[in-house]
Amino acid sequence: MSVTAHIPVDHYSAVHLAATTARRTALDQGLTGALPDQAAVLASELAGNVAKHALHGSLYIQPLPLRTGVEILAVDRGPGMADLEQCLTDGYTTSSTLGSGLGAVRRIADEFTVRTREGTGTVVSARLGEPGAGPADGTPGVGAVRVPADGETACGDSWGLAVAEDVRTALVVDGLGHGKPAAEAAELAVRAFHRDPGQPLPQLLRTMNRALRRSRGAAVGLLRLSTQGIEQCSVGNVRTLLLGHDGVRRRFGGQPGVVGWNMPEPRVQRVPAEPGTIALLHSDGIDARWTHTLTPFLAGLPAPLLAGALVHEHRRSRDDATVLTLGPARREA
């Protein structure tokens, strides 16, 4: 699984780097025709907006989480947009960029989500894929960001997601340490997960435990969501939460141990499904104290934006970091 390209927008030269990275990602994903150039325009417009008007902004460019394509996330810390609807008007722009402002981004992208608040900042997700290659209607909003520790190219964290009718099974894995050995352990866990993700969660963990015997081991978090309720099973320090507009509604604990080394007998926690919640899993590359300063703006973000905002605001730069978010069982508006 490809890592997320993180591009700090601290100078206008980042606009060119963002466009080049988006085009390359689109080509790597097999997008054809004008789509790679359109991905470059999306990244250029978003990076240009951050460079001209925002503070402490970054772009996160990566393959789409559920289909073939590219996603460009733009996150900043202010000042926010006073009149979002005006900024979304096609052709409205206060700077000279390749397109015509956020209106062009919304028009080109086949999935576009934005939230902004004055004094807080703006988060934008623009997604682009091959026509007809998307998931079936009704697939929930999903957000995922996976970045390596500063100075590393390999990421020792990873994630997986399996969707079967109304059942979604999610995985976040954190290989011990970071760098290539940790990445190898994470990859083994993801492969074992995808071989049969419909197994009971304890059996999934046992399968991964066997697969990781010759690796350095990993922390693993599993979550299953269905109309019947929510199941969670984890070993190690992958955090799992249910988040609502009113804040954290549920925290799940993980059992001590290491998958692949000294894994205990897995235990499942079950809770009823709550309408309107976002399920969230993250590695310890995200500072767990983020919930202590949770703002209404962050708590109200839809799943495609929440992952990027958490990584941008609360990542520990010396460690790999992965966030996976699952929105309600319907497509985000």
Side-chain angles (χ1 to χ4, degrees):
M1 183 180 292
S2 299
V3 298
T4 303
H6 172 216
I7 301 174
V9 185
D10 49 10
H11 186 271
Y12 204 78
S13 60
V15 175
H16 176 71
L17 176 59
T20 301
T21 302
R23 182 183 287 107
R24 183 176 65 247
T25 303
L27 289 169
D28 289 345
Q29 286 295 295
L31 298 190
T32 58
L35 292 175
D37 287 337
Q38 290 176 353
V41 171
L42 292 175
S44 176
E45 288 294 329
L46 291 173
N49 282 343
V50 172
K52 287 283 189 180
H53 307 298
L55 302 171
H56 306 293
S58 289
L59 259 63
Y60 299 87
I61 301 173
Q62 61 190 1
L64 286 177
L66 282 177
R67 60 190 178 102
T68 300
V70 61
E71 175 178 41
I72 300 105
L73 284 159
V75 190
D76 66 62
R77 295 176 184 164
M81 289 179 270
D83 190 337
L84 177 59
E85 286 305 313
Q86 183 183 39
C87 293
L88 290 176
T89 301
D90 204 9
Y92 176 82
T93 181
T94 59
S95 61
S96 298
T97 52
L98 292 177
S100 53
L102 283 178
V105 174
R106 180 167 62 173
R107 174 168 45 81
I108 294 169
D110 44 47
E111 289 183 53
F112 175 79
T113 313
V114 57
R115 296 292 187 274
T116 188
R117 177 168 292 179
E118 281 193 278
T120 298
T122 301
V123 191
V124 182
S125 168
R127 294 175 169 181
L128 187 68
E130 289 282 359
D137 289 344
T139 299
V142 175
V145 175
R146 177 183 182 237
V147 291
D150 284 356
E152 298 280 357
T153 55
C155 183
D157 293 354
S158 196
W159 62 273
L161 179 63
V163 180
E165 297 182 352
D166 64 345
V167 179
R168 296 169 284 162
T169 305
L171 161 75
V172 165
V173 54
D174 181 353
L176 265 60
H178 52 80
K180 187 176 179 180
E184 290 171 349
E187 183 178 355
L188 287 170
V190 172
R191 287 180 179 177
F193 169 82
H194 281 297
R195 279 198 289 268
D196 188 4
Q199 297 179 80
L201 298 188
Q203 186 57 41
L204 262 177
L205 269 175
R206 295 186 195 104
T207 298
M208 285 184 270
N209 188 52
R210 291 192 297 271
L212 270 61
R213 285 295 188 192
R214 295 182 179 273
S215 76
R216 62 169 47 188
V220 174
L222 289 168
L223 192 70
R224 178 165 288 155
L225 300 93
S226 72
T227 55
Q228 305 303 310
I230 297 171
E231 298 181 0
Q232 187 267 357
C233 192
S234 66
V235 172
N237 54 6
V238 173
R239 273 78 174 187
T240 309
L241 307 93
L242 300 180
L243 188 67
H245 288 275
D246 53 349
V248 177
R249 295 184 180 177
R250 175 82 184 196
R251 289 181 173 87
F252 294 94
Q255 296 174 253
V258 178
V259 177
W261 180 38
N262 62 346
M263 190 183 82
E265 180 62 23
R267 295 196 305 265
V268 176
Q269 301 180 69
R270 296 180 175 87
V271 298
E274 293 188 55
T277 57
I278 288 179
L280 185 153
L281 300 92
H282 69 76
S283 68
D284 66 351
I286 302 297
D287 190 334
R289 293 172 295 181
W290 69 269
T291 58
H292 300 170
T293 56
L294 181 62
T295 63
F297 179 72
L298 187 64
L301 291 177
L305 303 183
L306 180 59
L310 274 178
V311 166
H312 190 68
E313 294 292 336
H314 300 285
R315 179 171 79 97
R316 291 173 166 149
S317 60
R318 296 180 182 177
D319 198 1
D320 306 313
T322 291
V323 179
L324 175 62
T325 54
L326 305 175
R330 57 178 176 81
R331 185 177 293 278
E332 293 284 354

